[in-house]
Amino acid sequence: MTIRSLCTLSLFVFAFSCAKAEVKKNAPAPVVSAEPAVSPEFASAKFRDPSAPVEERVEDLLSRMTVDEKIGQMTQVVIYKLLNGEMKTLSLGSGLSGGGGSPWRNNTITGWCDMVDGLQKEALSTRLGIPMLYGTDSVHGHNNLANATIFPHNIGIGAAGDPDLAERIGRAVALETAATGVPWTFAPCVAVARDPRWGRFYESYGQDSSLVTRLSSAFIRGFQSADTGAAKSIVTAKHFLGDGNTVWGSSRTGNYFIDQGNMIKDEKFIRETLLPPYAEAVKSGARTVMTSFSSWKGVKMHAQKYLMTEVLKRELGFTGFIVSDWGGMDQIDPDYYTAIVTGINAGIDMNMVPEQGERFIATMKSAVEKKDIPMSRVDDAVRRILRVKFEMGLFERPMANRKLASVVRSPEHLALAREAAQKSQVVLVNNATLPIQAGKVYVAGSAADDIGKQCGGWTMTWQGVAGKITAGTSILDGIREVAGKGRVKYVANGKFGSGDPKGTCVIVTGETPYAEGIGDNPKIEINPADAALVTAARGKFSKVVLVVVSGRPLILGDLAGKVDGLVAAWLPGTEGAGVADILFGKAAPTGKLSFAWPVSVEQLPLDRAISGEQKPLWPAGFGLSY
Ligand code: BGC
Ligand code: BGC
């Protein structure tokens, strides 16, 4: 079977076309041999010699490359634009699965291995046989793979505040991702976010630079130390920088209100608050950094030569490569040529094109011919990319390790995800109610039995979607397991009747999943139907407990005073039993807010709460225990 027919047969999906996260297992599984084809012509070249020093291998290979091959290395194309042999014909350096990008109708471990190995075989069959580097957004587990272990989003890991936990999660995510042939994740997000109206707030560990630094570097160490039996797994520190600190309503395109917006803070703030996680990421061995869609003082980050080249590369000594964000360079200037020249000269090494590889390559070629982009800049970018590939051992081990399959959703990983969910719970109100004691338990609320909502965005699809989207234990399932089935009654329709004066009512509210752009929200209110349930439950039960499943602090109004117990569950992932463990005292709550919880949106962004000018509802660091 040719690679081409193999691709047409089995591969690839565009995020939007699989928005419903369908998992069809009946697509024919193509057979891919695991033998990499190494061109005999270069079999004895120095760059092929694993015992030669990396820098010598880089120089040897670089000296053999044509301009086209160099530009190809700098190009990263999205999976659904790699259906017709482009990996080979364009000599590409990289491919990616963005949010929701999975093998077409075959979102299984084998489907992924076949997809990635198929592309790798194309790359290996190019003139020089340079392996391609495949990346995906494994941001809280291998979240594009069906039935993977999904961990809490970073907001929950920030509340847990436990670097050892973050490190173990990093290792587990690397293993599950590598089990599908993918060595590279676009994570961790090291934003020090200050505005919960931002639709990516949950990707941030918290408002405090040192907390973000400790947790993200722990994740990096864990991810990059996973023993995968394949090429070394690598991370991306993102998004460099300013994401989470942009001003409301600032987008140039008007599509987004705060995402991809403008940061007006000064260089002192950048150096004191935003840069430390990158400095530590570099020290911890991060070899790729992704540029932010945001702007600093009106100039797109993708064009910020000072920050990328002077600060990150020179000052911090970053010798890995910078990858652009999704079409991020295109936004630098309406004129594509100007945009590419500016971005590459500013220091972008690998361009996440993502859909128009040929246009980027042609533009690069003419910019190099006209000397608008110096050859030295191209060589620098390619050196960086090749260096990382050599360091990873990608030349020696380019293919998936198919023996790793059993790590996906293994009992160990499920236990770790449950532990992470437990540790991330923050108890905010407790009027002698938690842990829930004997008696009947009534469960209601829009997020009580919803794996999709408790996973949030970047799960199965880009924006995430409510419902039974992947394997997992809902919070309701978890309550049944921990409290004992006989004690629990699920009031799915929210009609409590006359209630039960001796029972406890647990209302689980939640947000509809969202991610970048679409998740920007000026109001960040609690679901009104769930708020009405709280009112309806009061007086009908002995105690009312509210569990908030959300990617941000929501404006509670008078709700906090209306309940006997209130727990912030964040986006706990697939193991909802971790939430139940805290509710019923199977584990003691230790989670603390990693940012201030605002009284109202007028208090946003959080800077005034951080400086002490303003009193939030609860300060960062708050969290009750028992
Ligand atoms: C996001 C990145 C992500 C990339 C690839 C972008 O839109 O901003 O965080 O890594 O897409 O999916
Ligand atoms: C992709 C995401 C990407 C986004 C950028 C989506 O189609 O799936 O990965 O972040 O586009 O706009």
Side-chain angles (χ1 to χ4, degrees):
M1 189 186 290
T2 65
I3 294 295
R4 198 191 183 96
S5 66
L6 178 158
C7 290
T8 337
L9 239 182
S10 63
L11 304 181
F12 318 142
V13 80
F14 179 27
F16 296 124
S17 68
C18 77
K20 278 285 169 244
E22 52 184 275
V23 185
K24 291 193 183 124
K25 297 216 170 93
N26 52 1
V31 184
V32 178
S33 118
E35 301 302 310
V38 177
S39 155
E41 193 188 339
F42 299 103
S44 57
K46 185 170 221 168
F47 78 85
R48 286 267 157 228
D49 177 6
S51 67
V54 164
E55 294 307 313
E56 288 178 23
R57 297 178 78 184
V58 169
E59 292 311 317
D60 178 62
L61 180 49
L62 192 68
S63 71
R64 299 171 193 269
M65 291 170 78
T66 64
V67 176
D68 287 13
E69 285 164 341
K70 289 177 183 177
I71 294 171
Q73 280 304 303
M74 296 170 69
T75 311
Q76 181 185 49
V77 170
V78 69
I79 188 67
Y80 53 82
K81 291 287 178 183
L82 293 171
L83 302 178
N84 299 306
E86 291 85 351
M87 187 58 77
K88 176 172 182 169
T89 53
L90 302 176
S91 298
L92 301 176
S94 179
L96 87 143
S97 286
S102 52
W104 186 53
R105 290 191 175 165
N106 196 12
N107 192 352
T108 61
I109 298 169
T110 311
W112 275 84
C113 286
D114 291 345
M115 173 176 88
V116 182
D117 280 354
L119 295 172
Q120 191 62 286
K121 289 197 81 184
E122 286 183 35
L124 296 175
S125 65
T126 54
R127 189 179 74 92
L128 290 159
I130 305 174
M132 63 98 200
L133 175 55
Y134 202 80
T136 193
D137 290 286
S138 287
V139 300
H140 63 144
H142 191 351
N143 41 64
N144 286 325
L145 169 69
N147 306 325
T149 310
I150 303 298
F151 296 90
H153 267 296
N154 287 350
I155 192 171
I157 304 302
D162 177 349
D164 174 66
L165 177 73
E167 184 169 339
R168 287 183 285 138
I169 291 174
R171 205 167 290 126
V173 178
L175 284 168
E176 295 207 10
T177 307
T180 64
V182 182
W184 183 21
T185 183
F186 307 128
C189 173
V190 304
V192 183
R194 298 279 168 95
D195 199 328
R197 293 171 297 185
W198 184 37
R200 310 189 73 163
F201 191 74
Y202 60 81
E203 296 185 57
S204 167
Y205 292 104
Q207 70 179 27
D208 178 51
S209 181
S210 65
L211 180 75
V212 172
T213 302
R214 281 197 304 279
L215 296 175
S216 57
S217 58
F219 175 90
I220 292 170
R221 285 192 300 275
F223 196 92
Q224 300 206 352
S225 65
D227 184 6
T228 65
K232 179 180 161 170
S233 295
I234 61 163
V235 299
T236 309
K238 74 184 188 185
H239 308 79
F240 187 83
L241 45 68
D243 51 341
N245 281 280
T246 58
V247 292
W248 182 259
S250 60
S251 157
R252 212 180 60 140
T253 59
N255 292 330
Y256 302 105
F257 294 104
I258 192 163
D259 193 44
Q260 311 195 352
N262 186 26
M263 179 176 71
I264 53 179
K265 288 170 175 168
D266 59 13
E267 183 163 347
K268 185 165 178 282
F269 177 82
I270 290 183
R271 290 191 175 269
E272 287 173 0
T273 307
L274 304 183
L275 214 49
Y278 288 98
E280 195 58 33
V282 171
K283 279 193 204 145
S284 307
R287 303 305 273 144
T288 84
V289 169
M290 187 186 290
T291 311
S292 176
F293 276 129
S294 55
S295 304
W296 181 35
K297 296 185 174 165
V299 177
K300 281 279 166 192
M301 276 305 307
H302 282 77
Q304 291 279 2
K305 183 167 185 176
Y306 170 65
L307 289 174
M308 288 192 287
T309 299
E310 290 304 320
V311 177
L312 178 63
K313 289 181 175 173
R314 299 235 165 88
E315 257 181 60
L316 298 185
F318 176 65
T319 55
F321 68 85
I322 297 181
V323 59
S324 76
D325 201 345
W326 185 276
M329 265 199 280
D330 308 19
Q331 298 184 11
I332 294 175
D333 195 280
D335 176 58
Y336 189 71
Y337 183 86
T338 307
I340 295 307
V341 168
T342 310
I344 298 294
N345 285 339
I348 306 268
D349 302 302
M350 167 92 75
N351 188 19
M352 185 184 289
V353 179
E355 295 180 351
Q356 300 201 31
E358 275 166 278
R359 182 175 68 153
F360 171 69
I361 289 168
T363 308
M364 277 296 290
K365 247 194 124 166
S366 79
V368 169
E369 270 159 23
K370 290 187 198 147
K371 299 199 164 47
D372 286 330
I373 295 176
M375 202 56 210
S376 57
R377 176 73 267 275
V378 171
D379 284 345
D380 173 52
V382 177
R383 268 193 193 98
R384 290 169 178 272
I385 293 163
L386 294 178
R387 177 179 298 137
V388 173
K389 290 184 176 183
F390 281 122
E391 286 172 354
M392 293 169 66
L394 200 57
F395 283 75
E396 287 68 53
R397 287 179 293 183
M399 311 304 274
N401 173 9
R402 293 176 186 239
K403 295 199 191 96
L404 216 54
S406 63
V407 303
V408 176
R409 222 176 152 66
S410 68
E412 292 77 18
H413 288 180
L414 294 183
L416 179 59
R418 181 169 178 165
E419 178 192 339
Q422 285 171 358
K423 289 185 168 161
S424 65
Q425 302 305 294
V426 180
V427 177
L428 294 168
V429 172
N430 189 10
N431 301 328
T433 298
L434 298 168
I436 297 168
Q437 303 299 321
K440 276 222 152 219
V441 179
Y442 298 80
V443 181
S446 65
D449 192 21
D450 197 314
I451 299 285
K453 284 191 179 170
Q454 70 194 45
C455 287
W458 296 104
T459 317
M460 297 302 293
T461 61
W462 177 36
Q463 293 286 326
V465 58
K468 182 99 183 104
I469 56 166
T470 190
T473 305
S474 73
I475 294 173
L476 173 67
D477 295 335
I479 291 176
R480 285 190 173 125
E481 180 195 317
V482 176
K485 252 195 178 148
R487 267 177 79 192
V488 181
K489 187 169 175 351
Y490 180 38
V491 191
N493 62 5
K495 297 212 167 93
F496 298 126
S498 51
D500 173 355
K502 287 188 182 153
T504 301
C505 183
V506 178
I507 295 164
V508 187
T509 185
E511 295 181 290
T512 300
Y514 54 80
E516 43 176 332
I518 295 165
D520 287 0
N521 179 342
K523 295 202 180 112
I524 56 171
E525 286 168 333
I526 219 132
N527 177 334
D530 291 327
L533 283 181
V534 171
T535 308
R538 269 165 54 112
K540 291 188 172 169
F541 299 92
S542 122
K543 306 280 187 186
V544 177
V545 174
L546 181 64
V547 176
V548 182
V549 174
S550 65
R552 50 175 52 132
L554 298 175
I555 302 306
L556 292 172
D558 59 358
L559 269 183
K562 280 176 146 178
V563 293
D564 305 291
L566 193 146
V567 177
W570 315 121
L571 299 168
T574 50
E575 302 321 301
V579 179
D581 290 338
I582 296 299
L583 294 175
F584 291 88
K586 203 172 160 185
T590 53
K592 309 281 179 220
L593 291 181
S594 65
F595 49 80
W597 192 298
V599 173
S600 68
V601 288
E602 279 70 46
Q603 292 194 327
L604 300 176
L606 295 171
D607 303 73
R608 279 167 299 156
I610 293 168
S611 69
E613 261 171 82
Q614 208 170 49
K615 207 170 166 295
L617 189 53
W618 294 293
F622 184 80
L624 304 169
S625 192
Y626 38 83

